[in-house]
């Protein structure tokens, strides 16, 4: 299992990645799961998670979009349902039915398109497909979340009685309203609703003349709200019936709860499955946003991130419409430690964080923004020491804290560890701190750990140059403007450009010279040499880019010329053949003309025939006559070709037959859709699409627009719903 400390997660800002993914989840449980993503314990489970995300990502660009997976969190409802003799409210049952329907839709979809989504289908087939839950809920509750009248015989009877009594209430109230209104006892508003009951708005002076129950009065007291005596009797009856209705509904819901209770475990699985799909969906949406993909994961110890982007920086720059510079970083057995040096603000720390964050994301099942030819292997530990390392809580100085961190590194570091250290050795005396840092680096090296460090210390740059399986690297700077180019160059240490940067920022030249005199000449010369080499490297880089561009242009021109030359050559050959044929015909024409003239002058047929035969023999001598052996060989070749063609035709026929049988099997395995009036259909062996006008027993009348046809339902294929 991979070991990741809380500090590593903070150093690499992994929480920001999780928050971004969590924001893309559509369910409450999905958001919680996304926020608590950790590295996977084994490679098999990790590969399943990565491939599921990769498959979901592909659904954004193919024509088989994955159906909705959203649901309401029903955990509290399930806990209540688990209690014996408890019951759920109507709304909860409607949500349970929707949950079951959503899962069923996804299970059928992944089964149908298992070729496109094999790993997602593997996860789906672990879930039981059942329609019982939906059926039981639909028998009792309608699609609007109301208890159906036919949920029980008793409920149907009560509701009929309620409707009759309500009719009587309205009728008696209407009579009272007409009577007292004609007597002038009512206010202009005539009636209103109090405590969900219709009441007459009686003027206060006439309240004693109206028989009924006073339920209230207006604020001023000028109006009394009275329920007529005739209505009151029916209202009491209605209240009793409504109470009976509530009791019957409670009994029905208890019965339904008892029927659904055995499926609690399955419903928990449904929530778990849909929330897993939600997390996969969120990771796929995030991957789409940052142009991420799944690189090759090898068993060989090699990390190669080509054109890798820091995902947080990439999205931040995308909002600001700024450019993000990718880095290409390679770590392998013969180059397992990289020491990056150079001035600050050149992108050293970002390069360091990019490697650590992308590796961590990948081992947590999240796709990463790299080139498709990138590859890596799985580390057991990722150790980091990045950023401000002063510990306020433990009252430790920066250097003390870093030493404590190094001690932890030394305990945990092994051949399957990736360590990332920013500003290695800083916080103490440069000479002493540098010496200690050198010893640490040697120790990590001998343990065959993989790692990247950034430093300004010359002794660490020299050590990286001396160790066979370590290498220097620097962030490229423009040699004139000293502006960073945000490009990592492997194989050479970088100068800190201390004095050059100071001069660029306006520090007087005299002060810079005094500073140079205060330090050892060797160090100045060493740093100056590195700076000069870096400038030369920068020039070479630019020259190399220009040469590459010129080379690409030259290749394109060469290809064009070759294409033109080949076309000209073909034309010349055709012209030559045409010329030769024409010359031959001209010669033969002249010869015939000469023979004709001789015959015209002498009238000698023997000479004419002799000359003509001579000319024919000369022409035939030029034609090559095939020998019997050559004829036989030609016949054998022709026979072979015919046999090969026959075999090929037979293979194609066999392949077509197998495909047809396979297609028929797949068609037979498909869930049968129940056809209804209005559905668009076609014959199993036809192409024309029609609409079902009528269904009689097991036959349907299909309307094709111009004509109608009566066809057996078994011979029809479902195309589209009404």
């Amino acid at each position: 299992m991979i070991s990741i400390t809380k500090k590593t997660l903070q150093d690499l800002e992994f929480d920001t990645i999780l928050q971004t993914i969590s924001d893309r989840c559509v369910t409450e449980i999905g958001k919680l799961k996304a926020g608590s993503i950790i590295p996977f314990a084994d490679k098999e489970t990790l590969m399943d998670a990565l491939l599921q995300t990769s498959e979901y990502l592909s659904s954004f660009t193919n024509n088989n979009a994955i159906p909705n997976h959203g649901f309401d969190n029903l955990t509290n409802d399930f806990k209540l349902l688990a209690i014996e003799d408890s019951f759920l409210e109507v709304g909860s049952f409607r949500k349970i039915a929707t949950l079951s329907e959503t899962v069923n839709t996804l299970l059928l979809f992944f089964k149908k398109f298992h070729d496109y989504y094999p790993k997602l289908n593997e996860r789906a087939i672990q879930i039981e497909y059942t329609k019982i839950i939906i059926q039981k809920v639909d028998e009792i509750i309608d699609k609007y979340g109301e208890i159906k009248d036919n949920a029980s015989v008793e409920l149907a009877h009560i509701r009929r009685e309620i409707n009759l009594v309500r009719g009587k209430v309205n009728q008696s109230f209407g009579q009272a309203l007409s009577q007292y209104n004609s007597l002038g006892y009512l206010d202009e508003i005539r009636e209103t609703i109090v405590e969900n009951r219709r009441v007459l708005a009686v003027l206060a002076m006439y309240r004693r003349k109206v028989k009924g129950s006073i339920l209230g009065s207006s604020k001023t007291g000028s109006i009394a709200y009275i329920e007529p005596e005739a209505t009151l009797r029916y209202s009491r009856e209605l209240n009793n019936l409504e109470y009976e209705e509530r009791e019957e509904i409670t009994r029905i819901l208890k019965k339904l709860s008892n029927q659904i209770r055995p499926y609690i475990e399955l419903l928990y699985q449904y929530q778990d499955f849909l929330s897993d799909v939600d997390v996969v969906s969120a990771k796929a949406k995030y991957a789409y946003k940052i142009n991420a993909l799944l690189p090759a994961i090898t068993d060989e110890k090699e990390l190669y991130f080509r054109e890798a982007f820091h995902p947080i920086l990439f999205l931040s720059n995308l909002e600001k419409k700024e450019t993000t510079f990718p880095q290409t970083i390679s770590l392998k057995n013969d180059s397992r430690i990289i020491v990056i040096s150079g001035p600050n603000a050149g992108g050293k720390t970002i390069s360091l964080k990019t490697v650590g964050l992308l590796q961590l994301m990948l081992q947590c099942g999240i796709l990463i923004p790299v080139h498709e030819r990138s590859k890596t292997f799985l580390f057991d530990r990722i150790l980091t020491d990045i950023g401000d390392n002063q510990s306020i809580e433990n009252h430790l100085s920066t250097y003390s804290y870093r030493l404590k961190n190094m001690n932890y590194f030394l305990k945990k570091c092994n051949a399957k560890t990736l360590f990332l250290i920013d500003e290695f050795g800083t916080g103490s005396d440069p000479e002493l701190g540098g010496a200690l840092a050198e010893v640490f680096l040697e120790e990590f090296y001998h343990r065959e750990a993989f790692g990247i460090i950034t430093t300004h210390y010359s002794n660490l740059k020299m050590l990286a140059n001396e160790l066979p399986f370590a290498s220097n690297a620097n962030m490229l700077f423009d040699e004139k403007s000293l502006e960073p180019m945000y490009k990592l160059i492997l194989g050479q240490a970088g100068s800190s450009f201390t004095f050059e940067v100071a001069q660029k920022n306006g520090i007087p030249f005299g002060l810079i010279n005094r500073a140079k005199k205060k330090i050892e000449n060797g160090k100045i010369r060493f740093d100056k040499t590195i700076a000069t080499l870096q400038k030369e490297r920068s020039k070479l880089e630019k020259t190399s880019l220009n040469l590459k561009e010129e080379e690409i242009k030259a290749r394109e021109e060469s290809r064009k010329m070759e294409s033109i030359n080949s076309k000209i050559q073909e034309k010349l050959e055709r012209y030559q053949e045409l010329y030769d044929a024409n010359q031959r015909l001209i010669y033969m024409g002249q010869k015939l003309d000469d023979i004709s003239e001789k015959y015209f002058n002498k009238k000698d047929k023997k000479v004419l025939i002799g000359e003509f035969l001579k000319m024919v023999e000369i022409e035939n001598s030029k034609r090559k006559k095939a020998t019997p052996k050559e004829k036989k060989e030609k016949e054998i070749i022709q026979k072979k070709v015919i046999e090969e063609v026959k075999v090929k035709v037979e293979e194609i026929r066999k392949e077509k037959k197998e495909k047809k049988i396979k297609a028929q099997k797949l068609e037979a395995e498909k869930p049968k859709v129940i056809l209804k009036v209005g559905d668009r259909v076609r014959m199993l062996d036809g192409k024309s699409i029609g609409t079902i006008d009528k269904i009689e027993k097991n036959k349907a009348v299909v309307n094709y627009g111009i004509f109608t046809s009566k066809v057996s339902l078994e011979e029809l294929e479902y195309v589209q719903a009404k």
Side-chain angles (χ1 to χ4, degrees):
M1 182 175 174
I2 185 171
S3 173
I4 301 287
T5 64
K6 191 178 178 183
K7 185 186 179 307
T8 296
L9 298 175
Q10 287 173 351
D11 285 349
L12 298 174
E13 300 174 78
F14 188 60
D15 285 346
T16 306
I17 302 291
L18 295 189
Q19 187 57 52
T20 312
I21 293 170
S22 181
D23 290 343
R24 284 168 166 75
C25 288
V26 296
T27 68
E28 188 183 323
I29 299 174
K31 285 179 186 291
L32 291 172
K33 280 188 177 181
S36 56
I37 288 173
I38 56 169
F40 282 85
D42 61 278
K43 186 178 178 181
E44 189 181 347
T45 320
L46 169 63
M47 290 309 299
D48 282 351
L50 287 167
L51 289 167
Q52 282 175 17
T53 309
S54 189
E55 286 171 9
Y56 207 110
L57 178 62
S58 70
S59 74
F60 300 152
T61 50
N62 64 32
N63 295 324
N64 305 309
I66 296 170
N68 164 57
H69 59 265
F71 67 95
D72 291 313
N73 186 357
L74 291 163
T75 306
N76 292 331
D77 299 272
F78 297 157
K79 285 176 182 176
L80 177 62
L81 187 62
I83 301 166
E84 204 65 36
D85 292 332
S86 65
F87 68 94
L88 298 180
E89 294 300 325
V90 179
S92 297
F93 282 115
R94 192 69 264 163
K95 287 175 185 176
I96 285 171
T98 305
L99 175 74
S100 185
E101 203 168 338
T102 304
V103 171
N104 283 355
T105 304
L106 278 170
L107 296 183
L108 289 174
F109 176 84
F110 287 133
K111 185 180 178 182
K112 183 179 179 182
F113 295 103
H114 66 275
D115 289 343
Y116 287 92
Y117 310 112
K119 285 293 172 186
L120 286 167
N121 186 49
E122 266 182 40
R123 175 71 179 91
I125 57 177
Q126 296 169 18
I127 308 299
E128 183 188 337
Y129 175 89
T130 178
K131 285 187 173 182
I132 295 171
I133 296 169
I134 302 166
Q135 285 169 358
K136 288 190 180 298
V137 173
D138 285 349
E139 282 170 9
I140 305 299
I141 301 161
D142 64 21
K143 61 182 178 181
Y144 305 108
E146 299 291 334
I147 300 287
K148 290 181 177 179
D149 292 348
N150 60 355
S152 75
V153 177
E154 184 61 27
L155 184 65
H157 172 70
I158 291 168
R159 285 187 172 172
R160 277 197 299 272
E161 289 295 314
I162 285 171
N163 288 333
L164 286 170
V165 173
R166 276 183 183 151
K168 289 175 182 177
V169 167
N170 290 332
Q171 187 182 0
S172 61
F173 187 86
Q175 287 171 353
L177 181 71
S178 300
Q179 180 190 345
Y180 293 120
N181 189 47
S182 62
L183 294 170
Y185 293 169
L186 304 183
D187 185 65
E188 286 179 3
I189 61 169
R190 296 174 66 193
E191 66 170 291
T192 187
I193 302 289
V194 174
E195 296 174 11
N196 207 27
R197 287 150 79 174
R198 284 177 77 184
V199 291
L200 297 170
V202 181
L203 293 167
M205 63 183 78
Y206 301 119
R207 68 176 181 273
R208 295 186 185 278
K209 294 185 177 182
V210 175
K211 292 179 181 179
S213 175
I214 298 174
L215 298 182
S217 62
S218 64
K219 288 180 182 178
T220 57
S222 60
I223 302 170
Y225 300 126
I226 301 172
E227 186 176 15
E229 190 177 44
T231 307
L232 199 58
R233 181 165 57 87
Y234 293 123
S235 292
R236 288 191 190 117
E237 191 180 343
L238 183 63
N239 288 342
N240 291 336
L241 286 168
E242 284 174 346
Y243 174 77
E244 286 176 21
E245 182 189 28
R246 286 194 297 274
E247 286 294 302
E248 181 60 20
I249 285 171
T250 302
R251 192 190 67 76
I252 290 165
L253 291 176
K254 279 184 178 179
K255 185 183 174 184
L256 182 59
S257 297
N258 290 334
Q259 290 174 335
I260 300 297
R261 192 169 285 117
Y263 298 97
I264 288 176
E265 283 304 314
L266 181 62
L267 291 170
Y268 272 118
Q269 285 179 28
Y270 280 0
Q271 278 204 155
D272 193 45
F273 170 66
L274 290 181
S275 57
D276 282 351
V277 172
D278 192 28
V279 174
V280 171
S281 166
K283 288 196 285 190
K285 288 172 191 171
Y286 179 64
Y288 187 75
K289 186 75 175 174
I290 60 173
N291 303 321
L293 49 82
L294 174 58
I297 294 177
T298 65
D299 293 326
E300 291 178 20
K301 289 172 68 178
E302 182 180 0
L303 181 150
Y304 175 60
F305 287 157
R306 179 177 165 185
E307 294 171 22
F309 288 90
H310 190 286
I312 300 170
L313 184 65
F314 178 79
L315 287 182
S316 174
N317 285 346
L318 200 66
E319 285 179 15
K320 297 174 190 172
K321 295 183 179 176
E322 293 177 4
T323 307
T324 308
F325 297 91
Q327 302 298 340
T328 297
I329 297 164
S330 176
L331 293 170
K332 46 192 174 183
N333 272 323
D334 59 358
S335 176
R336 56 179 178 264
I337 294 176
I338 296 174
V339 177
I340 307 175
S341 49
N344 292 330
K348 298 195 301 293
T349 305
I350 286 293
S351 298
L352 194 77
K353 284 185 174 182
T354 301
V355 175
L357 182 57
L358 295 187
Q359 186 66 32
L360 178 57
M361 285 169 64
L362 196 66
Q363 293 196 220
C364 289
I366 304 166
L367 303 184
I368 57 174
V370 292
H371 189 275
E372 59 186 5
R373 289 188 183 172
S374 300
K375 57 183 173 179
T376 187
F377 74 105
L378 304 176
F379 291 97
D380 286 346
R381 289 186 181 88
I382 299 175
L383 305 172
T384 62
D385 189 357
I386 303 168
D388 183 11
N389 296 293
Q390 194 163 23
S391 176
I392 295 166
E393 297 88 351
N394 299 318
H395 306 286
L396 296 174
S397 68
T398 300
Y399 193 58
S400 298
Y401 192 79
R402 299 203 83 156
L403 286 175
K404 193 177 178 184
N405 235 11
M406 285 304 106
N407 190 32
Y408 179 77
F409 277 32
L410 291 169
K411 285 177 184 175
K412 300 291 182 183
C413 204
N414 61 24
K416 278 197 170 184
T417 299
L418 174 67
F419 66 88
L420 306 162
I421 307 171
D422 192 28
E423 301 294 347
F424 193 32
T426 55
S428 179
D429 177 272
E431 294 288 337
L432 306 178
L436 197 55
E438 195 173 325
V439 173
F440 288 148
L441 187 58
E442 284 174 347
E443 189 62 29
F444 298 148
Y445 178 83
H446 291 309
R447 293 189 187 186
E448 298 184 358
F450 281 57
I452 302 172
I453 68 167
T454 69
T455 188
H456 290 288
Y457 285 5
S458 300
N459 63 319
L460 296 177
K461 301 177 193 177
M462 291 169 75
L463 179 65
N465 200 41
E466 290 164 6
L467 294 171
F469 303 139
S471 58
N472 276 299
N474 70 85
M475 301 304 296
L476 202 63
F477 270 69
D478 189 278
E479 76 277 4
K480 290 179 182 176
S481 65
L482 291 179
E483 291 295 325
M485 294 169 74
Y486 303 106
K487 188 171 184 182
L488 184 70
I489 300 295
L490 297 173
Q492 183 183 308
S495 166
S496 296
F497 288 106
T498 308
F499 296 123
E500 289 85 348
V501 172
Q503 192 176 337
K504 182 176 180 277
N505 285 287
I507 304 299
F509 194 67
L511 292 178
I512 293 169
N513 274 339
R514 276 168 61 190
K516 284 180 180 178
K517 287 172 187 175
K518 287 184 181 289
I519 59 173
E520 295 173 24
N521 288 331
K523 280 192 178 178
I524 292 175
R525 291 208 326 269
F526 179 72
D527 200 57
K528 192 176 180 183
T529 303
I530 290 176
T532 306
L533 285 169
Q534 209 167 329
K535 286 176 183 178
E536 290 300 320
R537 182 63 176 263
S538 178
K539 284 180 184 175
L540 284 169
E541 191 74 24
K542 285 183 179 176
T543 308
S544 175
L545 286 170
N546 290 334
L547 285 170
K548 276 181 183 175
E549 286 175 8
E550 292 297 325
E551 188 184 352
I552 289 163
K553 285 180 184 176
R555 278 179 186 167
E556 285 177 0
E557 290 297 324
S558 175
R559 277 198 292 270
K560 283 180 186 175
M561 290 301 292
E562 281 176 11
S563 176
I564 292 164
N565 281 339
S566 64
K567 285 177 182 176
I568 290 168
Q569 190 65 36
E570 282 175 17
K571 279 186 178 180
L572 283 171
E573 284 171 6
R574 287 201 297 272
Y575 286 146
Q576 186 64 46
E577 286 170 9
L578 187 64
Y579 175 77
D580 290 345
N582 286 339
Q583 286 298 318
R584 185 167 147 273
L585 290 171
I586 289 165
Y587 168 75
M588 286 174 71
Q590 286 173 345
K591 198 75 178 165
L592 277 170
D593 190 54
D594 290 343
I595 293 166
S596 299
E597 195 174 340
K598 282 179 185 178
Y599 179 71
F600 180 77
N601 292 327
K602 296 180 179 179
K603 304 290 183 184
D604 191 342
K605 285 185 180 179
K606 283 183 180 180
V607 174
L608 172 69
I609 293 164
E611 287 283 341
F612 185 73
L613 287 171
K614 189 180 175 183
M615 187 181 77
V616 170
E617 282 173 6
I618 290 166
E619 285 302 314
N620 282 343
S621 68
K622 292 176 187 178
R623 294 188 176 96
K624 190 180 177 183
K625 193 173 183 182
T627 62
K629 190 181 178 182
E630 285 173 341
K631 281 181 181 177
K632 198 172 183 181
E633 283 175 359
K634 195 175 179 182
E635 283 173 7
I636 290 164
I637 290 165
Q638 283 177 343
K639 280 180 181 177
K640 273 186 182 178
V641 170
I642 291 163
E643 285 299 318
E644 283 174 7
V645 169
K646 281 181 179 177
V647 170
K648 195 73 180 171
V649 167
E650 195 59 40
E651 282 176 5
I652 291 165
R653 279 178 182 166
K654 195 177 178 182
E655 194 177 332
K656 280 186 177 178
K657 195 175 181 181
E658 284 173 359
K659 279 184 180 177
K660 192 175 181 181
I661 292 164
K662 193 178 178 182
Q664 285 171 349
K665 280 183 181 177
L666 286 170
E667 191 64 39
E669 286 172 7
K670 280 184 183 177
K672 193 74 176 174
V673 178
I674 298 167
L675 299 174
K676 302 185 290 297
V677 173
D679 285 350
R680 287 170 65 75
V681 293
R682 65 166 160 245
M683 297 280 285
L684 289 172
D685 56 350
K687 291 182 180 178
S688 299
I689 295 171
T691 307
I692 296 176
D693 280 354
K694 195 192 293 179
I695 295 174
E696 296 172 352
K697 293 183 181 178
N698 65 334
K699 291 199 174 182
V701 177
V702 183
N703 189 335
Y704 290 98
I706 303 167
F707 64 92
T708 58
S709 174
K710 200 166 188 179
V711 188
S712 171
L713 288 170
E714 294 296 321
E715 294 175 19
L716 291 175
E717 181 184 18
Y718 174 81
V719 175
Q720 190 182 2
K722 184 177 178 182

